[in-house]
Structure formats: structure tokens, C-alpha cells
Amino acid sequence: RDLDEAVIEADRCIQCGSCAAACPSDSIGIDDIDGKPTLVKMCTGCSRCWDFCPRSGLRYERVLEEQSKRREGGTSAYAVRADDDAIHAAGQDGGAVTALLGALVEAGEIDGAVVATEREDEPLRGTATLATTSEELLEDAGSVFNQTMQLDEIDRLVSESDLDDPDLALVGTPCVIQGATALQSFGREGERADVALTVALFCTRSFEHDRLTSLLVEHG
């Protein structure tokens, strides 16, 4: 109830899927109409959806503390671009993420990556997909400007693939990666596919599909 009132009804939901992924009773599903979380069966009142939602009870200082423990050698900053012309042309800002993930897949360091791509039947609407080859990653390169409930989609994507206990990369906006980090560190250990690498993209805003298309129609 708190999540519904303070986040979903208040129009603060960023459609990351953290609440559905965190729910131990699978009581939260995705509404077919607006694509937002909704109850699909009785809530047990455990409050985990609230605790892991990046727009409600998620304790950022706890997540940051956990992240800092993993950074033994500190942090560095680099400006990069893909040196492959095809990847560079397909990417939104140089194709660095596509090139990085493709190299990791080919080297056997990861088994695939959960990324966002545009649905074929509905222009500008993003959908979560699992790319397991560098060719698939190239096909899915570029930006999608709405959230795709990646965190709730990971298990389904893995179950529909031929992968067994894969090591995956997850690409998402910073709020999605915050939720993913919290779930990895404090969530349902052993019950979710293993995310070996998270990649947070620069983001200023993410649009709901219907609002985005209405805006484009309104402004020609």
C-alpha cells in the first residue's frame, strides 16, 4: 500500500522492476495497460518492495558502502569509444558499452548481457532482451528512452534461453543499477540469475512510452 500510494500513484515509478524482483511471494506483476507494477495476488506485508525501490525506502548509503567494499583499487575515469567502425556507428555515444560487452562475451568472461532494445511491433517502446553474442549486441546497440523492467525480466529471459546458471552483465540507467546492486547485496540470494557486471549509463531522464509518443505527435 505504501509503495502504491507514495511511488506508483504519485507518478514517481521509474519502471526498473526492483519491487517485483524483490517480492518473495511473487505478488507483484506488471500492468498490461500502463506497464507499471501492480498486485497480482495477496500481499504478505513483508515491505521488501518498499525497501528495494530506488524511489522509496532504498538506503543509498548502505548500497554505496557495499560498493566501496568491492573497489579495492579505487576508481578511475576514462573517455573511450569503440575502435570498430560498425559498433561506433551503431552506438549512441561511441559504442563503448557494446564493444566492451562483445569483447567479454567472446572472451568467455560473461555468458550474455541484459540490454534494452526497441520492439519491432511498436516504435520507440523498449523491451528487455538477452544478447549472448557480439552480433546480437551490435543489433541491440543504441539508446531506448524508456525503462523496460529489466530487473523483473532477467529470470524470464534466462529461462527462455539455453543458458544454465549464466554469468550476466546488466545494462541500465543509474536508478536501475542502484536497485540491482541492492538486490545483489541484500536481496533474495540464490533465487535470481547471477549478475556478474553492471553497467550504468548516463541518464538525464527516461520517458514513459505513451507520454513520449504523445509529445512527439504534439510537436510534429
Side-chain angles (χ1 to χ4, degrees):
R1 183 174 63 250
D2 290 339
L3 186 75
D4 193 29
E5 294 177 357
V7 179
I8 299 171
E9 291 184 5
D11 204 21
R12 299 180 68 237
C13 175
I14 49 99
Q15 294 176 287
C16 65
S18 294
C19 58
C23 179
S25 59
D26 294 324
S27 298
I28 300 175
I30 309 304
D31 193 294
D32 292 333
I33 298 176
D34 61 13
K36 292 183 179 180
T38 185
L39 278 179
V40 294
K41 63 180 181 180
M42 184 175 293
C43 173
T44 63
C46 71
S47 85
R48 291 176 67 84
C49 59
W50 175 268
D51 294 337
F52 286 95
C53 172
R55 288 296 176 263
S56 61
L58 180 61
R59 290 173 50 196
Y60 291 100
E61 70 279 4
R62 190 182 181 200
V63 174
L64 292 173
E65 180 182 352
E66 182 66 22
Q67 288 177 322
S68 67
K69 294 177 182 177
R70 302 177 183 178
R71 298 180 182 137
E72 297 178 359
T75 59
S76 301
Y78 302 90
V80 298
R81 54 152 285 182
D83 58 8
D84 183 291
D85 290 339
I87 296 176
H88 180 263
Q92 177 71 23
D93 295 298
V97 173
T98 301
L100 170 65
L101 297 177
L104 290 173
V105 167
E106 291 182 358
E109 296 294 331
I110 60 174
D111 298 301
V114 177
V115 297
T117 188
E118 188 173 311
R119 283 176 49 166
E120 295 181 0
D121 61 338
E122 201 165 358
L124 298 181
R125 185 182 291 280
T127 185
T129 186
L130 175 58
T132 58
T133 65
S134 56
E135 291 77 16
E136 290 177 349
L137 286 163
L138 181 58
E139 291 177 5
D140 297 330
S143 291
V144 172
F145 294 99
N146 46 72
Q147 299 283 32
T148 61
M149 291 289 182
Q150 296 105 306
L151 297 181
D152 187 46
E153 291 288 287
I154 293 176
D155 283 355
R156 179 187 65 80
L157 292 171
V158 171
S159 68
E160 293 176 354
S161 74
D162 58 0
L163 298 177
D164 181 27
D165 192 25
D167 288 324
L168 301 177
L170 171 67
V171 180
T173 56
C175 45
V176 170
I177 300 306
Q178 287 167 346
T181 301
L183 285 166
Q184 278 186 281
S185 302
F186 319 113
R188 297 165 60 185
E189 185 176 353
E191 296 183 34
R192 297 283 165 179
D194 184 30
V195 176
L197 171 70
T198 56
V199 180
L201 304 173
F202 284 107
C203 177
T204 55
R205 66 179 64 185
S206 182
F207 301 91
E208 287 187 355
H209 175 264
D210 293 341
R211 294 183 182 182
L212 176 59
T213 53
S214 297
L215 182 66
L216 292 175
V217 170
E218 180 181 340
H219 293 277

